[in-house]
Amino acid sequence: MHKFHRFEQLELLPYLGKWFLIACVAAALAGSASAFFLLALDHATAWREAHRWIIWLLPVAGFAVGYVYYRLGKPVDAGNNLIIDEIHDPKKVVPLRMVPLVLGGTIVSHLFGASVGREGTAVQMGGALADQLTHAFRLEHEDRRILLMIGMSAGFASVFGTPLAGAVFGLEVLAIGRMRYDALFPCIVAGIVADQVCLAWGVHHVHYAVGAIAPITTWSVVAVVLAGIAFGLVGMAFATSTHKLGALVKRHIAYAPLRPFVGGIVIATAVWALNAYHYIGLGIPDIVQSFQQPMQPWDFLGKFGLTVASLGTGFKGGEVTPLFYIGATLGNALAPLLHMPFALMAAIGFVAVFSGAANTPIATTIMAMELFGTGIGPLAAIGCVTAYLFSGHTGIYHAQRVGHSKHRRHRLLVPDGIRIAELGRFRQQKAEAAVPPSTEEQVGLSPDAALTTEEGSQ
């Protein structure tokens, strides 16, 4: 025992060296991929904004991407959920084809006017590229789990310029209420290195000016809690709506390429009829504006609807940047009602709606401090944790597990280890099992027949 304690720290040195090297290699790949992706995305966005008519080709673009995935991308169509499932239950290396498919699919979605984000693409590229190192470094299943977390952290960190938030995201998103600290060191290294690599390629991230932070008073805390409830409910509604629309479309349109084709028609028509061009794409200009002046109170609903329609019908991209838009504009709309500064509430909404939708309150609190300054930390934490609690056991990643229930009284209704996607079925089965069958159902008789039998026996 004494010998073990004496040499335990020495044994950590090769461990740190191994994961430092692996994390740096994976981060260099993810950071470079994110840099190329962001630069291409800027060009696609600029071209679309200069040629608004191109949105009428969105159905054709959607069909083309859907057909490519139908022919070549079935093994990787699950996207982020595939990587999360592989971390929980390692089976085989993620196919490298995920990288060009999700990269091309997302750029096409943005070029032609779908309302999607970028985080999903970066995380999938980071995870898939990192997983290619499995055989190179001869990693076992347990080490491969860490490698995939490294890739997720690197992708998230580099695409948003938030190295620490990216590191924690790769750990926290896997299971509600539980994190794996054995991967903390390599994920932090990966987040920092990937961010630096992305910056070295000449990528510049958007700066959001919050200005003075409101002091922590009784009312500021109450206001942020009230706003956090709204943020959590909206995050829950977004995740639920996206999944339900996706299931509905799959049920009624069997041929996969036709789903984004039909969705493209609906989206293009809605954008043209409502002059809602500012709701498509990433929406960065509107997010920046929400930190500076009052916005229309329905802006968050416009982005909400078009993003659900885009993702639910099969367009490729992420959910996070649209959630930033929804949260920032919703926080902007709530600010005068709660007598709080526009910029502060936009900043808290920016991270809190994402916190509720992704069940990542720690990563989003750190993200707030990295993007808006450390002074916002206490209020951002209150908003993110409140949103996390009030979003329920739902989420944008249906492969996410329940590591620990959010509420003690719901422990029996939400068993540990279950996938979010399976919660509805589990609750239905539990509810059916809790209702005892009637006497008529037990003997297989109608009510009248049962009554006659009972009277005869008397």
Side-chain angles (χ1 to χ4, degrees):
M1 181 66 76
H2 294 292
K3 183 178 180 181
F4 173 77
H5 283 298
R6 184 180 304 170
F7 295 105
E8 180 180 359
Q9 284 70 33
L10 290 177
E11 292 174 353
L12 281 174
L13 293 178
Y15 171 86
L16 292 181
K18 166 189 170 181
W19 284 113
F20 182 83
L21 173 62
I22 294 174
C24 286
V25 174
L29 294 173
S32 298
S34 291
F36 177 82
F37 170 55
L38 291 175
L39 293 172
L41 204 56
D42 286 342
H43 288 295
T45 300
W47 204 92
R48 186 195 71 238
E49 291 175 347
H51 305 84
R52 285 188 168 185
W53 57 265
I54 200 173
I55 196 169
W56 291 111
L57 297 179
L58 183 61
V60 179
F63 182 88
V65 172
Y67 183 77
V68 170
Y69 263 85
Y70 178 73
R71 298 292 297 178
L72 303 174
K74 288 183 180 179
V76 298
D77 195 35
N80 289 344
N81 293 299
L82 171 62
I83 296 177
I84 294 174
D85 276 332
E86 282 294 324
I87 293 173
H88 285 292
D89 185 18
K91 293 180 180 177
K92 59 181 180 179
V93 173
V94 176
L96 186 59
R97 73 181 73 177
M98 172 180 273
V99 177
L101 285 175
V102 72
L103 174 64
T106 304
I107 291 174
V108 168
S109 296
H110 280 278
L111 176 62
F112 290 89
S115 177
V116 294
R118 51 190 174 172
E119 139 279 338
T121 306
V123 168
Q124 289 174 53
M125 291 194 301
L129 288 169
D131 209 14
Q132 307 312 307
L133 302 176
T134 297
H135 296 310
F137 288 96
R138 300 179 181 179
L139 301 179
E140 302 294 334
H141 277 336
E142 198 59 34
D143 285 346
R144 182 169 169 253
R145 287 189 173 104
I146 298 177
L147 182 61
L148 286 168
M149 285 186 262
I150 288 172
M152 293 182 70
S153 296
F156 191 96
S158 56
V159 83
F160 292 124
T162 53
L164 296 183
V168 176
F169 175 83
L171 302 169
E172 189 179 21
V173 74
L174 303 177
I176 296 175
R178 186 171 296 168
M179 289 175 59
R180 287 189 50 164
Y181 289 93
D182 58 337
L184 187 56
F185 173 76
C187 283
I188 288 177
V189 171
I192 294 171
V193 173
D195 178 51
Q196 292 300 311
V197 168
C198 189
L199 293 175
W201 283 107
V203 172
H204 301 286
H205 299 286
V206 179
H207 175 70
Y208 303 98
V210 176
I213 305 297
I216 298 177
T217 63
T218 302
W219 174 246
S220 66
V221 171
V222 171
V224 171
V225 169
L226 294 175
I229 295 173
F231 296 146
L233 294 175
V234 169
M236 177 179 67
F238 179 89
T240 303
S241 300
T242 303
H243 293 323
K244 286 191 173 181
L245 178 61
L248 180 68
V249 170
K250 288 179 180 178
R251 189 161 58 247
H252 291 282
I253 304 177
Y255 188 51
L258 279 181
R259 296 166 193 160
F261 178 82
V262 173
I265 294 174
V266 173
I267 294 166
T269 304
V271 170
W272 172 77
L274 301 174
N275 192 30
Y277 292 93
H278 58 298
Y279 294 144
I280 59 178
L282 292 175
I284 297 295
D286 279 5
I287 297 177
V288 173
Q289 194 174 0
S290 69
F291 285 76
Q292 301 170 350
Q293 64 187 50
M295 303 286 287
Q296 298 295 342
W298 56 80
D299 279 339
F300 79 96
L301 288 173
K303 189 65 172 177
F304 185 108
L306 288 179
T307 305
V308 168
S310 298
L311 295 173
T313 56
F315 283 95
K316 299 303 174 182
E319 301 92 344
V320 175
T321 304
L323 287 170
F324 290 163
Y325 185 115
I326 293 167
T329 52
L330 177 58
N332 182 285
L334 293 175
L337 301 178
L338 298 172
H339 304 288
M340 295 287 284
F342 285 107
L344 175 64
M345 294 307 294
I348 295 176
F350 183 105
V351 291
V353 171
F354 172 42
S355 171
N359 298 302
T360 53
I362 300 175
T364 48
T365 299
I366 297 173
M367 171 177 268
M369 292 188 284
E370 288 185 303
L371 292 177
F372 313 127
T374 56
I376 202 174
L379 291 178
I382 293 171
C384 289
V385 172
T386 304
Y388 161 78
L389 292 173
F390 276 83
S391 66
H393 293 87
T394 60
I396 53 178
Y397 308 118
H398 60 241
Q400 193 176 48
R401 266 57 165 182
V402 177
H404 199 74
S405 174
K406 294 183 183 182
H407 316 288
R408 178 174 297 179
R409 42 187 311 193
H410 290 92
R411 191 69 49 78
L412 295 178
L413 296 176
V414 185
D416 293 350
I418 193 171
R419 297 169 89 245
I420 285 181
E422 299 167 355
L423 270 176
R425 191 184 317 121
F426 174 83
R427 287 170 172 167
Q428 182 179 359
Q429 293 173 349
K430 194 169 183 64
E432 292 173 352
V435 178
S438 62
T439 304
E440 298 84 359
E441 292 173 333
Q442 290 177 2
V443 299
L445 299 174
S446 66
D448 291 339
L451 182 59
T452 303
T453 304
E454 185 177 346
E455 290 173 347
S457 64
Q458 291 176 352

